[in-house]
Amino acid sequence: MAELTSETFYVYENWTHNKTRIHRSTCSHCNNGDGHSGGTSEGGNDKWHGAFSSYADAKKCALSLGRADNADCEFCQPC
């Protein structure tokens, strides 16, 4: 697993909304892969992937998940 630094990245996957988002680990929406709810989801419709030591590795993961909507977090703008 990658060392948790400002240059560590996570991929958020949500299958209900068919999307992924790439985040910096320091993003308030990511919280080192714990998200807003401490890493758990009441609806069970999402998952955090990572940590990744590079943006390129996170992007590769996001695209491999096959979701229709793949983008960077609009708040932390990882790329």
Side-chain angles (χ1 to χ4, degrees):
M1 183 173 278
E3 181 181 334
L4 300 179
T5 68
S6 62
E7 291 303 312
T8 302
F9 304 90
Y10 283 84
V11 174
Y12 173 74
E13 176 186 19
N14 184 299
W15 42 91
T16 300
H17 298 287
N18 202 22
K19 71 177 186 177
T20 65
R21 293 293 180 266
I22 299 173
H23 295 266
R24 293 181 186 275
S25 62
T26 55
C27 177
S28 63
H29 293 271
C30 175
N31 294 312
N32 291 313
D34 285 336
H36 291 289
S37 58
T40 60
S41 165
E42 282 189 32
N45 65 342
D46 58 0
K47 180 178 180 180
W48 287 94
H49 302 267
F52 300 96
S53 59
S54 72
Y55 175 83
D57 288 344
K59 183 75 168 184
K60 183 177 178 179
C61 171
L63 294 175
S64 75
L65 297 171
R67 301 293 167 199
D69 179 6
N70 300 286
D72 294 338
C73 171
E74 61 186 54
F75 298 100
C76 68
Q77 301 176 347
C79 182

